[in-house]
Amino acid sequence: MADTELSGQIDALLTEHVELSVPARLEHLPLLRMLAEAVATKEDFDLDAIADFKIAVDEVASWLVHHADVGASVSCRYRLSAGELAVSVSAPTADQAVPETDGFGWHVVKTVTDSASYQVTEQGGRVVTIDLVMATRTGGQ
């Protein structure tokens, strides 16, 4: 039990967070892609994995931009920990839309990541958050 608690504390200390919020407009998507690339590069992903991660972040951020409230921001919060890179992309939405999990875009996201999910919260307005996880992929994997 003590080993499990210590392991959890060590993981928490080794986990880093990077966050960027930009206005929910298409012209800001390149910033989100650049940060996705920088974070994946920092985590020593190989070139193919970096490209996959950028595609996934771009796809979900684009969806959120198209459904965001007027004047809202899209927020990307990256969590970096040993062996894994996760991102939560969220925005307040103007309509009742949710990501189409049977659509082509979601299929691409599920193909290039290890995990993709979304949730809708109604606290202080409707917010859609899309979570992506990708295990570290280096040149030999």
Side-chain angles (χ1 to χ4, degrees), residues 4-5 16 18 21 32 40 61 64 66 79 81 93 96-97 103 108-109 111 114 118 128 140-141:
T4 304
E5 286 180 32
E16 296 180 45
V18 176
S21 292
L32 300 177
L64 285 166
H66 281 94
R79 186 185 81 244
S81 60
T93 57
Q96 296 298 310
V108 169
V109 169
T111 300
D114 295 310
Y118 73 89
V128 174
Q141 296 179 342

Side-chain angles (χ1 to χ4, degrees), residues 36-45 50:
E37 179 178 10
V39 169
T41 300
K42 179 189 179 301
E43 289 303 295
D44 203 27
F45 278 46
I50 292 168

Side-chain angles (χ1 to χ4, degrees):
M1 179 75 171
D3 288 340
T4 304
E5 286 180 32
L6 181 59
S7 177
Q9 290 172 350
I10 291 171
D11 286 346
L13 290 172
L14 295 177
T15 299
E16 296 180 45
H17 291 92
V18 176
E19 187 167 357
L20 175 65
S21 292
V22 297
R25 296 197 315 258
L26 292 174
E27 60 264 23
H28 294 293
L29 289 176
L31 291 172
L32 300 177
R33 283 193 297 269
M34 285 189 315
L35 184 57
E37 179 178 10
V39 169
T41 300
K42 179 189 179 301
E43 289 303 295
D44 203 27
F45 278 46
D46 66 27
L47 293 177
D48 289 337
I50 292 168
D52 288 346
F53 192 66
K54 283 174 49 179
I55 288 168
V57 169
D58 185 60
E59 183 65 34
V60 300
S62 296
W63 186 90
L64 285 166
V65 164
H66 281 94
H67 294 280
D69 283 336
V70 174
S73 292
V74 173
S75 175
C76 288
R77 181 175 170 86
Y78 297 88
R79 186 185 81 244
L80 311 130
S81 60
E84 180 177 276
L85 175 57
V87 63
S88 294
V89 187
S90 62
T93 57
D95 54 29
Q96 296 298 310
V98 294
E100 296 177 24
T101 58
D102 58 348
F104 179 73
W106 193 260
H107 174 73
V108 169
V109 169
K110 292 286 285 187
T111 300
V112 300
T113 62
D114 295 310
S115 172
S117 62
Y118 73 89
Q119 64 182 13
V120 178
T121 56
E122 300 284 347
Q123 299 170 350
R126 185 173 193 277
V127 176
V128 174
T129 301
I130 303 171
D131 297 305
L132 308 174
V133 178
M134 198 170 202
T136 302
R137 299 177 190 165
T138 58
Q141 296 179 342

